[in-house]
Amino acid sequence: MAPGVELGFAAAAAGPGGAWRLRSAYFPSKVGGRPAWLGEAGLPGPAALRCGRCQRPCAFLLQLYAPLPGRSDAFHRTLFVFACRGPACYRGSGPRGPFRVFRNQLPRRNDTYPEEPPPEEPPPGPAPAPPGRLSGGAALCRVCGCPGPRCCGRCRRAAYCGPEHQALDWRRGHRRSCGQHPAGDDSVDAIPEHNEFLFPEYEILIEPEEPEFPDDSTIDPGDEQVAVETSKDPKEQEELEATGSAGETLQSLDEETLEALAKRETEEDKIFQMFKEKVAAEPEQIIRYCRGGEGPIWVSGENRPEEKDIPNCLCGAKRIFEFQIMPQLLNYLQVDSLGESIDWGTLVVYTCANNCGGAHEYLEEFIWKQDYSVGHVLPS
Ligand SMILES: [Zn+2]
Ligand SMILES: [Zn+2]
Ligand SMILES: [Zn+2]
Ligand SMILES: [Zn+2]
């Protein structure tokens, strides 16, 4: 039987109660902040983390802890997604563009983590500042938490991924603290938890999707119209209101749009309608995970990748669907701006079917961005 879909939800992570759980030792799934790297070898460096469009460093978007049962080499396994901060890089659907995805895995017995699961309680003492180094010693950029091979020319201690983040940290305070530590003291000024380059941080909580009515996915265009019509029926309206943002989502589509949707019985409408229904069932979902099982749900019939558009892994194996990022994530990222914004309909991640690779590498995987078609936008 194909595995069911699991949904990811964003939960507030900040504060002394929760942030500790987002550190590497707890194998988190999370949005924003700095990456909680899994393996310490083979991290993607500054060149690998550059935006494919503007060449500037990508920011950490999210990571999913997704071990593979029955695979001792993937006892721990995490997928990392990075995204450009520049709104102009988000024009158009298609492969990669402003995104980068990496996969890393470790066996249960490894050099970095104990074999037993981490404790459920917070560690004693105040929450530590973001790590400036991996436990093995490699320096991380003070701004983005990615490998930092470049260091401040004055103090020779503060590490950066490149000139952009060195300049940003200088403006933000390193100018004053640089060289303030006496010779022999190897410490650098504590790394501020947040900065304007990082996306806001949330924990991702995973839950199985509730099963639906059996023939929900076989609505024919005739039923489609009914489905739209009934959303105006007072009883269902009540239900929608009771579910909070599901109601808002549908209500904020103006009547004209609803009419247009009902009249045009096209494939396009059907696909978007299906998407809306899946979203309405769990309006806060930011992730849909189902490795190798049920495929992604699309926001549009346009710009869906064909098999030939998804390149095989370097090992020669096909890539299969693993998870998709939903547009609801945008509501948590504080990326709205008056002009152009960071935006997507959905982002679909495909990974090596063989799950190749060893413990000492971060392998790049494939991501596809699909935009809404004209007139079909899920309001936030
Ligand atoms: Zn860019
Ligand atoms: Zn950096
Ligand atoms: Zn310095
Ligand atoms: Zn492979």
Side-chain angles (χ1 to χ4, degrees), residues 138-160:
L140 298 175
C141 173
R142 284 170 56 82
V143 173
C144 66
C146 297
R150 178 188 182 104
C151 69
C152 170
R154 213 167 124 202
C155 65
R156 303 240 157 242
R157 285 174 188 162
Y160 302 100

Side-chain angles (χ1 to χ4, degrees), residues 51 53-54 84 89:
C51 168
R53 300 231 160 110
C54 72
C84 182
C89 295

Side-chain angles (χ1 to χ4, degrees), residues 3 29 87 103 139 147 194 235 238 284 319 327 334 337 345 349 378:
S29 293
R103 173 171 58 82
H194 197 73
K235 185 155 163 272
E238 246 171 57
E284 306 293 328
R319 283 197 173 93
Q334 297 163 12
S337 58
V349 174
L378 201 66

Side-chain angles (χ1 to χ4, degrees), residues 186-369:
D186 247 4
S187 59
V188 192
D189 42 314
I191 298 177
E193 188 75 44
H194 197 73
N195 61 60
E196 65 264 35
F197 180 73
L198 301 176
F199 290 113
E201 192 170 40
Y202 299 89
E203 185 171 6
I204 299 177
L205 304 177
I206 306 285
E207 289 172 23
E209 185 178 44
E210 293 291 324
E212 325 159 40
F213 298 109
D215 49 358
D216 216 27
S217 55
T218 54
I219 305 171
D220 71 41
D223 291 346
E224 174 94 342
Q225 183 148 355
V226 177
V228 174
E229 291 294 334
T230 49
S231 69
K232 289 180 201 158
D233 143 353
K235 185 155 163 272
E236 179 154 358
Q237 199 71 302
E238 246 171 57
E239 280 168 20
L240 285 171
E241 270 155 25
T243 58
S245 35
E248 286 157 36
T249 302
L250 291 179
Q251 280 161 24
S252 49
L253 281 176
D254 59 54
E255 206 136 68
E256 216 172 78
T257 312
L258 279 172
E259 287 305 324
L261 280 175
K263 278 182 196 133
R264 287 176 14 220
E265 294 169 357
T266 60
E267 176 71 7
E268 186 59 31
D269 289 337
K270 199 167 140 187
I271 291 167
F272 184 60
Q273 182 66 25
M274 196 106 79
F275 187 84
K276 281 200 303 174
E277 283 168 16
K278 291 274 192 186
V279 167
E282 285 289 356
E284 306 293 328
Q285 58 185 289
I286 59 166
I287 299 287
R288 296 179 66 84
Y289 183 93
C290 193
R291 183 173 194 268
E294 191 181 309
I297 52 170
W298 299 101
V299 296
S300 160
E302 295 162 26
N303 298 310
R304 285 185 290 188
E306 292 175 38
E307 209 167 293
K308 67 170 170 54
D309 296 321
I310 300 166
N312 286 351
C313 178
L314 288 178
C315 76
K318 272 195 187 322
R319 283 197 173 93
I320 53 173
F321 169 65
E322 180 148 1
F323 72 97
Q324 73 184 114
I325 300 171
M326 303 294 281
Q328 286 86 340
L329 177 60
L330 292 160
N331 303 339
Y332 296 91
L333 298 181
Q334 297 163 12
V335 289
D336 272 347
S337 58
L338 278 176
E340 210 163 14
S341 276
I342 291 178
D343 196 21
W344 57 74
T346 188
L347 305 173
V348 185
V349 174
Y350 299 86
T351 58
C352 174
N354 282 349
N355 193 53
C356 67
H360 300 289
E361 45 196 348
Y362 280 72
L363 293 170
E364 185 157 15
E365 294 288 13
F366 186 73
I367 186 165
W368 184 273
K369 172 173 177 275

Side-chain angles (χ1 to χ4, degrees), residues 50-58 83-90 97-98:
R50 249 172 233 146
C51 168
R53 300 231 160 110
C54 72
Q55 304 301 315
R56 286 154 68 195
C58 286
C84 182
R85 278 305 221 152
C89 295
Y90 287 76

Side-chain angles (χ1 to χ4, degrees), residues 81-121:
V81 183
F82 296 82
C84 182
R85 278 305 221 152
C89 295
Y90 287 76
R91 284 177 209 146
S93 292
R96 293 202 172 105
F99 300 98
R100 289 283 175 273
V101 184
F102 296 89
R103 173 171 58 82
N104 179 246
Q105 58 204 21
L106 290 176
R108 181 165 186 177
R109 182 170 296 178
N110 61 74
D111 296 339
T112 312
Y113 305 100
E115 284 181 51
E116 295 315 310
E120 299 277 327
E121 297 81 45

